[in-house]
Amino acid sequence: MEWSREERYRRIEDESEKNLKELKEKVDNCPYRQKFHIQPKTGLLNDPNGFSYFNGEYHLFYQWFPLGPVHGVKYWYHLSSKDLVNWKDCGIGLKPDSYFDSHGVFSGTGLVKDDKLHLFYTGNTRDENWIRNPYQCLAIMDKNGEIKKMDKPLIKAPPKGYTDNFRDPKVLKNKEKYYCLIGAETQSNQGTIVYYESDDVLEWNLKGEISTKFKGNHSGFMWECPDYYEIEDKGVLMISPQGIEPEGDKYLNIFQSGYLVGDKIDFENGIFNHKDFYELDRGFDFYAPQTMEDENGRRILVGWFGLPGLNCVTDENGWAHCLTIPRELKLKGDRILQIPVKELEKLRKTERKVNFALNNEEKIIDDFNFRTYEMICDFNDFSGNYIGVKIRKGEDEETVFYYDLNEKKLVLDRSKSGKSCTDEYGVIRKCKMNCEKLKIQMFVDTSSVEIFVNDGEEVFTSRIFTKEDSNSISFFTDGNTKVKASIWSI
Ligand code: FRU
């Protein structure tokens, strides 16, 4: 169904109770609703926003268009949690109801200052000729959860030399100053980060660009959703660049999302010395991640379990997309490790364990499966060309994940993972990895799988829309391997 501009810019406040109820019923009847992922009650969810720890709780917002599975006028929807597992529904956090955000409250940061949660975001606006102007704005939440917008924007327009693709402020404190990093596109279509400095988060002075070596043909025209943090003695800049061409196994999704590890950014001079750009995720559906530091000093990431510019299988049911599970980040050389947060163990219910050897065969273990689950498999002493596991197996369906010992690659094949509407971007994802041993940790929800390999060295995040009775799990190799596996229903 095509959505007209008028329909996409319709406010939930103006929608009739009856229409909202019908939409909600349609969504509730969708067989692909998730069990333990954050998902919109109706409509479309995209980027996580304002992820923070404030007043004894985690706060997480997301980009939301309530009225259908399209990118219409965006709100921030608000959730809070004490444990990153059980989330309280706090309702709409920010509405597009001011002149500086009339066409969408776009993505941004949560930062605690003076005992208040400061929410920085981009106010998207369009004039009568549909010319866009992005404002950078601030709203402040107090300890009672009351959110008030400032009555005027902090930054009124992109500086000279940049297009209207200028958004997603990441605000952080460094030494005694505050910095605001903004995703930008130069007039010559180079993705970059423009940054500002402030003493008080209210008055901002333009500093210039953060200069990097990540430039030219393979770096994209627009960098969305910047995030920056320091871990050990390094600086990590995460970006979601648009416009990188595929290169072998890399950059096969419509847009990318990755990071640069380097020396800490010199904010005085805007210099970042860094190593190569790596994709954060090797799966089909991951974008616009955000991180925060919690009170125990953990760096935690949540991403959008989806991508811009693509349809979703659940569109016909009135909703689209969800967020990823939270992952703790660690540093190993110039690479980031992503480890599901420990609290997720709370989701574990019934446990089953197996221990066996495989010899040139594919084996289904009786009773070793659930519909939604966490599974950890260790493969040891292996030989042959491949070892792997198939999940969501049914009569004509299976989702295959394996290690190719010859090519030294991890492979995810979702060519038989049920319904799909993005096959034009390919049905296989691979990445290089040298495995002496192989540990696969999977979180399987009704319509998704997140695969963590060797304690977060690589992650494959993908939606899968399989039939309700395709639930078998098999292990396979054309050589030999020992397998030790545990599964917990969720
Ligand atoms: C990324 C993004 C952001 C923007 C938001 C709008 O998915 O395009 O750049 O702020 O989504 O919903």
Side-chain angles (χ1 to χ4, degrees):
M1 176 187 150
E2 275 299 311
W3 284 62
S4 66
R5 186 179 288 175
E6 201 174 287
E7 285 164 328
R8 282 189 292 122
Y9 284 85
R10 196 172 161 75
R11 306 283 198 276
I12 187 171
E13 298 84 30
D14 300 331
E15 191 57 289
S16 70
E17 283 297 320
K18 181 171 160 285
N19 286 354
L20 289 175
K21 200 167 152 244
E22 273 173 24
L23 177 60
K24 177 87 173 38
E25 271 166 19
K26 188 155 115 179
V27 174
D28 289 346
N29 285 328
C30 174
Y32 303 114
R33 292 295 279 169
Q34 297 277 61
K35 203 160 177 189
F36 60 92
H37 283 80
I38 293 170
Q39 61 191 344
K41 58 185 168 198
T42 59
L44 181 142
L45 166 158
N46 57 302
D47 317 353
N49 292 151
F51 190 22
S52 48
Y53 191 83
F54 171 62
N55 200 22
E57 285 183 320
Y58 294 93
H59 290 271
L60 179 55
F61 301 77
Y62 59 75
Q63 287 284 286
W64 189 44
F65 175 62
L67 302 182
V70 294
H71 289 272
V73 62
K74 297 290 169 68
Y75 293 64
W76 277 33
Y77 201 85
H78 183 195
L79 305 161
S80 68
S81 171
K82 292 208 186 302
D83 60 5
L84 295 166
V85 176
N86 300 293
W87 291 93
K88 190 171 121 199
D89 180 345
C90 306
I92 291 172
L94 289 168
K95 290 181 185 170
D97 58 2
S98 308
Y99 77 88
F100 46 78
D101 57 22
S102 55
H103 290 68
V105 182
F106 277 13
S107 291
T109 314
L111 177 85
V112 180
K113 178 177 180 289
D114 303 333
D115 254 354
K116 297 209 161 69
L117 183 61
H118 290 59
L119 303 170
F120 299 89
Y121 67 93
T122 299
N124 185 49
T125 66
R126 300 272 191 181
D127 69 9
E128 54 294 348
N129 300 316
W130 211 242
I131 308 263
R132 166 184 269 171
N133 185 55
Y135 293 92
Q136 312 309 320
C137 313
L138 171 60
I140 296 179
M141 185 172 104
D142 66 19
K143 288 198 164 169
N144 301 321
E146 211 165 297
I147 302 176
K148 282 208 183 93
K149 286 184 191 171
M150 307 277 295
D151 57 8
K152 50 181 200 311
L154 303 174
I155 299 170
K156 292 199 191 75
K160 237 179 139 213
Y162 300 91
T163 72
D164 62 1
N165 274 327
F166 190 76
R167 56 179 171 267
D168 311 335
K170 166 74 189 180
V171 178
L172 54 100
K173 192 172 183 193
N174 194 277
K175 308 217 172 91
E176 285 318 300
K177 302 262 188 207
Y178 293 91
Y179 293 96
C180 176
L181 277 52
I182 299 179
E185 175 185 18
T186 67
Q187 292 293 359
S188 50
N189 312 110
Q190 169 68 57
T192 188
I193 304 227
V194 169
Y195 79 114
Y196 294 73
E197 186 181 75
S198 173
D199 293 321
D200 59 3
V201 309
L202 300 174
E203 294 289 323
W204 291 93
N205 296 314
L206 178 63
K207 289 285 285 180
E209 278 183 36
I210 302 276
S211 91
T212 68
K213 287 179 296 206
F214 189 52
K215 281 199 185 114
N217 278 348
H218 295 289
S219 61
F221 64 85
M222 166 63 186
W223 293 359
E224 295 192 305
C225 302
D227 192 276
Y228 175 76
Y229 55 92
E230 295 179 347
I231 182 166
E232 294 168 25
D233 56 347
K234 297 287 177 207
V236 182
L237 183 65
M238 294 189 348
I239 45 175
S240 293
Q242 302 194 310
I244 302 186
E245 292 296 317
E247 202 186 303
D249 298 329
K250 295 194 284 190
Y251 316 138
L252 295 177
N253 293 340
I254 183 170
F255 298 130
Q256 274 54 59
S257 170
Y259 62 91
L260 303 163
V261 171
D263 299 332
K264 292 179 179 174
I265 292 183
D266 166 1
F267 283 104
E268 190 51 48
N269 302 298
I271 294 168
F272 185 39
N273 286 317
H274 58 83
K275 297 280 186 22
D276 292 344
F277 177 76
Y278 292 106
E279 285 178 271
L280 263 164
D281 198 280
R282 307 298 185 169
F284 297 86
D285 305 278
F286 182 87
Y287 196 66
Q290 266 204 357
T291 73
M292 56 84 66
E293 188 182 343
D294 78 353
E295 55 163 6
N296 304 315
R298 290 187 300 178
R299 179 59 55 177
I300 301 171
L301 172 147
V302 169
W304 174 21
F305 212 140
L307 281 161
L310 299 178
N311 293 331
C312 184
V313 168
T314 57
D315 288 354
E316 60 183 18
N317 303 102
W319 72 288
H321 311 305
C322 57
L323 296 179
T324 68
I325 55 171
R327 302 146 183 205
E328 182 178 351
L329 303 183
K330 301 232 159 110
L331 186 70
K332 189 179 172 192
D334 59 348
R335 304 297 303 271
I336 295 292
L337 306 182
Q338 298 178 61
I339 299 144
V341 295
K342 178 114 180 79
E343 289 90 327
L344 290 164
E345 289 177 9
K346 282 193 184 178
L347 293 170
R348 294 176 176 176
K349 292 193 192 124
T350 310
E351 179 180 9
R352 308 239 156 91
K353 282 184 177 185
V354 286
N355 208 332
F356 56 93
L358 274 184
N359 177 4
N360 188 20
E361 64 190 312
E362 178 175 346
K363 198 168 183 164
I364 297 183
I365 316 273
D366 284 347
D367 257 5
F368 192 84
N369 66 56
F370 295 106
R371 177 70 177 161
T372 53
Y373 56 89
E374 178 191 345
M375 176 168 70
I376 298 182
C377 334
D378 282 294
F379 296 85
N380 278 301
D381 304 330
F382 42 77
S383 62
N385 298 305
Y386 49 81
I387 44 167
V389 54
K390 298 182 183 175
I391 62 160
R392 285 291 162 84
K393 259 173 84 75
E395 216 172 297
D396 48 7
E397 293 181 345
E398 59 186 25
T399 298
V400 190
F401 188 71
Y402 63 96
Y403 181 53
D404 180 327
L405 280 74
N406 292 323
E407 290 207 35
K408 299 199 185 312
K409 282 184 183 176
L410 297 166
V411 184
L412 173 63
D413 179 344
R414 73 165 183 185
S415 56
K416 294 191 199 145
S417 300
K419 285 194 188 173
S420 168
C421 54
T422 54
D423 285 0
E424 61 188 291
Y425 290 92
V427 292
I428 292 181
R429 291 288 181 270
K430 299 181 180 182
C431 79
K432 269 271 180 212
M433 181 147 165
N434 220 335
C435 294
E436 295 288 306
K437 61 184 181 53
L438 180 64
K439 176 178 171 190
I440 300 174
Q441 182 177 17
M442 287 192 185
F443 286 81
V444 180
D445 204 339
T446 313
S447 54
S448 69
V449 56
E450 283 154 287
I451 307 171
F452 298 82
V453 183
N454 288 358
D455 296 309
E457 289 195 16
E458 297 291 355
V459 188
F460 291 71
T461 299
S462 296
R463 297 300 297 278
I464 47 171
F465 300 94
T466 55
K467 292 184 195 142
E468 227 172 315
D469 55 359
S470 297
N471 289 321
S472 296
I473 297 172
S474 75
F475 299 88
F476 63 94
T477 179
D478 65 344
N480 289 291
T481 182
K482 287 185 187 147
V483 184
K484 207 173 121 190
S486 298
I487 188 168
W488 297 267
S489 62
I490 293 185

Coordinates of all heavy atoms in Angstrom, one line a residue, residues 169-216:
P169 N 22.3 14.4 17.1 CA 23.4 14.8 18.0 C 23.8 13.8 19.1 O 22.9 13.2 19.7 CB 22.7 16.1 18.7 CG 21.3 15.8 18.5 CD 21.1 15.1 17.2
K170 N 25.1 13.6 19.2 CA 25.6 12.8 20.3 C 26.3 13.8 21.2 O 27.3 14.4 20.8 CB 26.6 11.8 19.7 CG 27.5 11.1 20.8 CD 26.7 10.1 21.6 CE 27.5 9.6 22.8 NZ 26.7 8.6 23.6
V171 N 25.8 13.9 22.4 CA 26.4 14.9 23.3 C 27.1 14.2 24.4 O 26.6 13.2 25.0 CB 25.3 15.8 23.9 CG1 25.9 16.8 24.9 CG2 24.6 16.6 22.7
L172 N 28.3 14.6 24.7 CA 29.1 14.0 25.8 C 29.9 15.0 26.5 O 30.2 16.1 26.0 CB 30.0 12.9 25.1 CG 30.9 13.4 24.0 CD1 32.3 13.6 24.5 CD2 30.9 12.4 22.9
K173 N 30.4 14.6 27.7 CA 31.3 15.5 28.4 C 32.7 14.9 28.3 O 32.9 13.7 28.4 CB 30.9 15.4 29.9 CG 31.5 16.5 30.7 CD 31.0 16.6 32.1 CE 31.6 17.8 32.8 NZ 31.4 17.7 34.2
N174 N 33.6 15.8 28.0 CA 35.0 15.4 27.9 C 35.9 16.5 28.6 O 35.8 17.6 28.2 CB 35.4 15.3 26.4 CG 36.7 14.6 26.2 OD1 37.8 15.2 26.3 ND2 36.6 13.3 25.9
K175 N 36.6 16.0 29.6 CA 37.3 17.0 30.5 C 36.2 17.9 31.1 O 35.2 17.4 31.5 CB 38.4 17.7 29.8 CG 39.4 16.7 29.1 CD 40.8 17.0 29.2 CE 41.7 15.9 28.6 NZ 41.9 15.9 27.2
E176 N 36.4 19.2 31.0 CA 35.4 20.1 31.6 C 34.4 20.6 30.6 O 33.5 21.4 30.9 CB 36.0 21.2 32.4 CG 36.6 20.8 33.7 CD 35.7 19.8 34.5 OE1 34.6 20.2 34.8 OE2 36.2 18.6 34.7
K177 N 34.5 20.2 29.3 CA 33.6 20.7 28.3 C 32.6 19.7 27.8 O 32.8 18.5 27.9 CB 34.5 21.1 27.1 CG 35.6 22.1 27.4 CD 35.1 23.5 27.0 CE 36.3 24.5 27.1 NZ 35.8 25.8 27.4
Y178 N 31.6 20.2 27.2 CA 30.6 19.4 26.5 C 30.8 19.4 25.0 O 31.2 20.5 24.5 CB 29.2 19.8 26.8 CG 28.8 19.6 28.3 CD1 29.0 20.6 29.2 CD2 28.3 18.4 28.7 CE1 28.8 20.4 30.6 CE2 28.1 18.1 30.1 CZ 28.3 19.2 31.0 OH 28.0 18.9 32.3
Y179 N 30.6 18.3 24.3 CA 30.8 18.3 22.9 C 29.5 17.7 22.3 O 28.9 16.8 22.8 CB 32.0 17.5 22.4 CG 33.3 18.2 22.9 CD1 33.9 17.9 24.1 CD2 33.8 19.3 22.1 CE1 35.0 18.5 24.5 CE2 34.9 20.0 22.6 CZ 35.5 19.6 23.7 OH 36.6 20.3 24.2
C180 N 29.1 18.2 21.1 CA 27.9 17.7 20.4 C 28.4 17.3 19.0 O 28.9 18.1 18.2 CB 26.9 18.9 20.3 SG 25.5 18.4 19.3
L181 N 28.3 16.0 18.8 CA 28.8 15.5 17.5 C 27.6 15.2 16.6 O 26.6 14.6 17.0 CB 29.5 14.1 17.7 CG 31.0 14.1 18.1 CD1 31.2 15.0 19.3 CD2 31.4 12.7 18.4
I182 N 27.6 15.8 15.4 CA 26.4 15.7 14.5 C 26.7 15.0 13.2 O 27.7 15.3 12.6 CB 25.9 17.1 14.3 CG1 25.5 17.7 15.6 CG2 24.7 17.1 13.3 CD1 24.9 19.1 15.5
G183 N 25.9 14.0 12.9 CA 26.1 13.3 11.6 C 25.7 14.3 10.4 O 24.7 15.0 10.5
A184 N 26.7 14.3 9.4 CA 26.5 15.3 8.4 C 26.9 14.8 7.0 O 27.6 13.8 6.9 CB 27.4 16.5 8.8
E185 N 26.5 15.6 6.0 CA 26.9 15.4 4.6 C 27.5 16.7 4.1 O 26.9 17.8 4.2 CB 25.7 15.0 3.8 CG 26.0 14.9 2.3 CD 24.8 14.6 1.4 OE1 23.7 14.8 1.9 OE2 25.0 14.2 0.3
T186 N 28.7 16.7 3.6 CA 29.3 17.9 3.0 C 28.6 18.3 1.7 O 28.0 17.4 1.1 CB 30.8 17.8 2.8 OG1 31.0 16.9 1.7 CG2 31.6 17.4 4.0
Q187 N 28.8 19.5 1.2 CA 28.2 19.9 -0.1 C 28.7 19.0 -1.2 O 28.1 18.8 -2.2 CB 28.4 21.4 -0.4 CG 27.7 22.3 0.5 CD 26.2 22.3 0.3 OE1 25.6 21.6 -0.5 NE2 25.5 23.1 1.1
S188 N 29.9 18.4 -1.0 CA 30.4 17.5 -2.0 C 30.2 16.0 -1.7 O 30.8 15.1 -2.1 CB 31.9 17.8 -2.3 OG 32.6 17.7 -1.0
N189 N 29.1 15.8 -0.9 CA 28.6 14.5 -0.6 C 29.5 13.5 0.1 O 29.6 12.4 -0.3 CB 28.0 13.8 -1.9 CG 27.2 14.8 -2.7 OD1 27.5 15.3 -3.8 ND2 26.0 15.1 -2.1
Q190 N 30.3 14.1 1.0 CA 31.1 13.2 1.9 C 30.5 13.1 3.3 O 30.1 14.2 3.9 CB 32.5 13.8 2.0 CG 33.4 13.2 3.0 CD 33.8 11.8 2.7 OE1 34.4 11.5 1.7 NE2 33.5 10.8 3.6
G191 N 30.3 11.9 3.7 CA 29.8 11.7 5.1 C 30.8 12.2 6.1 O 32.0 12.0 5.9
T192 N 30.4 12.8 7.2 CA 31.3 13.3 8.1 C 30.7 13.6 9.5 O 29.5 13.4 9.6 CB 32.1 14.6 7.6 OG1 33.1 14.9 8.5 CG2 31.1 15.8 7.5
I193 N 31.5 14.1 10.4 CA 30.9 14.5 11.7 C 31.3 16.0 12.0 O 32.5 16.3 11.9 CB 31.5 13.7 12.8 CG1 31.2 12.2 12.5 CG2 31.0 14.2 14.2 CD1 30.6 11.4 13.5
V194 N 30.3 16.8 12.2 CA 30.6 18.2 12.6 C 30.4 18.3 14.1 O 29.5 17.6 14.6 CB 29.6 19.1 11.8 CG1 29.6 20.5 12.4 CG2 29.9 19.1 10.3
Y195 N 31.2 19.1 14.8 CA 31.0 19.1 16.2 C 31.1 20.5 16.8 O 31.7 21.5 16.2 CB 32.0 18.2 16.9 CG 33.4 18.7 17.1 CD1 33.9 18.9 18.4 CD2 34.2 18.8 16.0 CE1 35.2 19.3 18.6 CE2 35.6 19.2 16.2 CZ 36.0 19.5 17.4 OH 37.3 19.9 17.6
Y196 N 30.4 20.7 17.9 CA 30.3 21.9 18.6 C 30.8 21.8 20.1 O 30.8 20.6 20.6 CB 28.8 22.4 18.7 CG 28.2 22.7 17.3 CD1 27.9 21.7 16.4 CD2 27.9 24.0 17.0 CE1 27.3 22.0 15.2 CE2 27.3 24.4 15.8 CZ 27.0 23.3 14.9 OH 26.5 23.7 13.7
E197 N 31.1 22.9 20.7 CA 31.6 22.8 22.1 C 30.8 23.7 22.9 O 30.2 24.8 22.5 CB 33.1 23.3 22.1 CG 33.8 23.2 23.4 CD 35.2 23.8 23.3 OE1 35.4 25.0 23.3 OE2 36.2 23.0 23.2
S198 N 30.6 23.3 24.2 CA 29.8 24.2 25.1 C 30.3 24.0 26.6 O 30.9 23.0 26.9 CB 28.4 23.7 25.0 OG 27.6 24.4 26.0
D199 N 30.1 25.1 27.4 CA 30.4 25.0 28.8 C 29.2 24.5 29.6 O 29.3 24.0 30.7 CB 30.8 26.3 29.3 CG 32.1 26.8 28.7 OD1 33.0 25.9 28.6 OD2 32.3 28.0 28.4
D200 N 28.0 24.7 29.0 CA 26.8 24.5 29.8 C 25.7 23.8 29.1 O 24.5 23.7 29.6 CB 26.2 25.9 30.2 CG 25.9 26.8 29.0 OD1 26.0 26.2 27.8 OD2 25.5 27.9 29.1
V201 N 25.9 23.2 28.0 CA 25.0 22.5 27.1 C 23.9 23.4 26.5 O 23.0 22.9 25.8 CB 24.4 21.2 27.6 CG1 25.4 20.3 28.2 CG2 23.2 21.5 28.6
L202 N 24.0 24.7 26.7 CA 22.9 25.6 26.2 C 23.4 26.5 25.0 O 22.8 26.6 24.0 CB 22.3 26.5 27.3 CG 21.7 25.7 28.4 CD1 21.3 26.7 29.6 CD2 20.5 24.9 28.0
E203 N 24.7 27.0 25.3 CA 25.3 27.8 24.2 C 26.3 27.0 23.5 O 27.3 26.4 24.2 CB 26.1 29.0 24.9 CG 25.2 30.0 25.5 CD 24.4 30.8 24.5 OE1 25.0 31.1 23.5 OE2 23.3 31.1 24.8
W204 N 26.2 26.8 22.2 CA 27.1 25.9 21.5 C 27.9 26.7 20.4 O 27.4 27.5 19.7 CB 26.3 24.8 20.8 CG 25.7 23.9 21.8 CD1 24.5 23.9 22.3 CD2 26.4 22.7 22.3 NE1 24.3 22.9 23.2 CE2 25.4 22.1 23.2 CE3 27.6 22.1 22.2 CZ2 25.7 21.0 23.9 CZ3 27.9 21.0 22.9 CH2 26.9 20.4 23.8
N205 N 29.3 26.4 20.4 CA 30.1 27.0 19.4 C 30.6 26.0 18.4 O 31.1 25.0 18.8 CB 31.4 27.7 20.1 CG 30.9 28.8 21.0 OD1 30.1 29.6 20.6 ND2 31.4 28.8 22.3
L206 N 30.5 26.3 17.2 CA 31.0 25.4 16.1 C 32.5 25.3 16.2 O 33.2 26.3 16.2 CB 30.6 26.0 14.7 CG 31.0 25.3 13.5 CD1 30.4 23.9 13.5 CD2 30.7 26.0 12.2
K207 N 32.9 24.0 16.2 CA 34.4 23.8 16.2 C 34.9 23.4 14.8 O 36.0 23.6 14.5 CB 34.7 22.7 17.2 CG 34.6 23.0 18.7 CD 35.7 23.9 19.2 CE 37.0 23.1 19.4 NZ 38.1 24.0 19.8
G208 N 34.1 22.6 14.1 CA 34.5 22.2 12.7 C 34.2 20.7 12.6 O 33.2 20.2 13.2
E209 N 35.0 20.0 11.8 CA 34.8 18.6 11.6 C 35.7 17.8 12.5 O 36.8 18.2 12.8 CB 35.1 18.2 10.1 CG 34.0 18.5 9.2 CD 34.2 18.0 7.8 OE1 34.9 16.9 7.6 OE2 33.8 18.7 6.9
I210 N 35.3 16.6 12.8 CA 36.3 15.6 13.4 C 37.0 15.0 12.2 O 36.4 14.4 11.4 CB 35.5 14.5 14.2 CG1 34.6 15.0 15.3 CG2 36.5 13.4 14.7 CD1 35.3 15.3 16.6
S211 N 38.3 15.3 12.1 CA 39.0 14.8 10.9 C 39.4 13.3 11.1 O 40.0 13.0 12.2 CB 40.1 15.7 10.5 OG 41.3 15.3 11.1
T212 N 39.1 12.5 10.1 CA 39.4 11.1 10.2 C 40.1 10.7 8.8 O 40.0 11.5 7.9 CB 38.1 10.2 10.3 OG1 37.4 10.3 9.1 CG2 37.3 10.6 11.5
K213 N 40.6 9.5 8.8 CA 41.2 9.0 7.5 C 40.1 8.2 6.7 O 40.4 7.7 5.6 CB 42.3 8.0 7.8 CG 43.6 8.7 8.3 CD 44.7 7.7 8.6 CE 44.3 6.8 9.7 NZ 45.3 6.2 10.5
F214 N 38.9 8.1 7.3 CA 37.9 7.3 6.7 C 37.1 8.3 5.7 O 36.2 9.0 6.1 CB 36.9 6.8 7.8 CG 35.9 5.8 7.2 CD1 36.3 4.7 6.5 CD2 34.6 6.0 7.5 CE1 35.4 3.8 6.0 CE2 33.6 5.0 7.1 CZ 34.0 4.0 6.3
K215 N 37.6 8.3 4.5 CA 37.1 9.3 3.5 C 37.0 8.7 2.1 O 37.6 7.7 1.9 CB 38.2 10.5 3.4 CG 38.1 11.4 4.5 CD 38.8 12.7 4.1 CE 38.9 13.7 5.3 NZ 40.2 13.9 5.7
G216 N 36.4 9.5 1.2 CA 36.5 9.1 -0.2 C 35.5 8.0 -0.5 O 34.5 7.7 0.2

